[in-house]
Amino acid sequence: MDREFDISLELDLRSRKKDGTHPLKVRVYSRITKEFKRMRTDFAFTEDDYSRIWTIKPRKEYKDIKNGLEALVTEYTERAERIKPFDLTTFAHRLGKNKNSSDLFELFDGIIEANIHADRIGNSDSYRDCKKCIERYHKAHGKGQLTFNKITVSWLNNFDRWMSTEGRSNTSIGKLTKSRGLSETTRGIYLRELRAALNTPVNNKAIFDSEAYPFGDKKFVIPTGNSSNKKIALENEVLRMLLEVTGLTPAQEKARAFWFFSFFSNGMNLKDVALLKWDDLQEDRFKFKRSKTRRTSKKPRIIEVFLDAYHVDIIDRYGTNKRSQYVFPIIDPASTSLIQDKKIGYFVNSTNKNFQKAAKKAGVDINITSIIARHSYANKAMRKKADPLNLMYSLGHANFSTTEHYLSGFDDNTMRGVQSSIFDGLNLKTKKNENREEGF
């Protein structure tokens, strides 16, 4: 049976924002009345970026956006199919009622759109992943609409057990379909996002009263992840091997340059490297705020990094001219935050992938990622007996308890070295040493 409607995406060139982008709208056309409506979204693109999204083989950062937009069209299509016969007014009215709905997935949709609108792209992606996981579980074990009142302690326990055994998307190997569980850390992340979503007021009222609220002591407790996981930090010998290895491809050479730029910059996250601006540079140093805590801290700490020959060399080799806003040509200032976030993700993944290949050429059999640059910096600072307060400032932590927790994850050799350094120069007398001196 032919559809009674058509749904498509339209870049509204009639309207132009201050940043040069045009709003993206969903065009809903009724074949019955020959009328259409343009429905607003929180997306906006330049004409150039929008055309790149719909090329036959878009680049990774554009492909992710394309998949998201196609999912948006699918969602609108599924909602329209529920209206028999199709009516534009009814369709628009039901979309408008979503804010009053008790449907969990519609709550997630609102949170995702709000994060996109606030340029919190990473948060929106995280909530979207959580929603997809819950959708898979509900499709396999749920019935009807997943409303708030169905999220009980029992439901949470069953959902957590399911995630531990079948939480990942199924992967096909030949004719076999393999289900895999999620780690305790990932399950904890999804459950905290679900809790945060359910803590969101609807119509200025809490979703649950205190008795029905399913989280907390003697109710459902979210797993915290394996605290015994040790942080990997590279020793001097390995760092020298990585610095001195030859025969690298240009991509591997570039990946090494940015990995060590991060390492020599207090373990600076690669996202912050991508966001580094010429205005942040001074004569002998640069300053930045961590993007990870920029929105979550009332007074995000300003981190100072003193420039040395390595910094200057990398900026000379891979930097832009000073007429550009950003030091490195990773993102385009004219692009939307959504495009910028995807390009930063591509930059981080590409750096990790190519530096791993460089490490293999150096004979280093460790899965080295950009976060290990941060761990290695902290490890060396500890070995050099850095003042804990100075280490807190250099890592950009808001308080020392965060630094203390961070340091607790290092291996026994690192912690033993730090502990023994406390006694250096004290010439402590022990019973064993006294016996040795007396000839025992």
Side-chain angles (χ1 to χ4, degrees), residues 293-334:
T293 56
R294 192 175 297 167
R295 293 182 181 273
T296 57
S297 177
K298 291 181 179 179
K299 292 183 178 180
R301 195 175 298 283
I302 297 175
I303 303 172
E304 286 191 90
V305 177
F306 290 93
L307 292 167
D308 59 22
Y310 189 87
H311 291 107
V312 174
D313 177 59
I314 299 306
I315 291 172
D316 287 343
R317 286 163 58 190
Y318 297 107
T320 62
N321 60 58
K322 293 189 177 181
R323 288 174 295 180
S324 176
Q325 183 178 354
Y326 295 102
V327 174
F328 298 109
I330 298 166
I331 57 177
D332 183 354

Side-chain angles (χ1 to χ4, degrees), residues 187-244:
R187 284 155 46 208
I189 291 172
Y190 285 170
L191 288 164
R192 281 191 293 275
E193 284 165 347
L194 173 59
R195 181 179 63 187
L198 292 173
N199 287 341
T200 304
V202 175
N203 291 336
N204 297 317
K205 294 181 180 179
I207 292 175
F208 294 101
D209 58 33
S210 58
E211 186 176 342
Y213 188 66
F215 297 93
D217 294 338
K218 298 181 180 180
K219 294 184 179 181
F220 180 81
V221 179
I222 296 174
T224 57
N226 186 359
S227 60
S228 64
N229 286 342
K230 295 296 183 180
K231 292 182 173 65
I232 298 174
L234 305 183
E235 302 292 341
N236 282 347
E237 181 182 354
V238 176
L239 291 169
R240 278 195 294 269
M241 292 169 64
L242 294 169
L243 274 170
E244 296 171 1

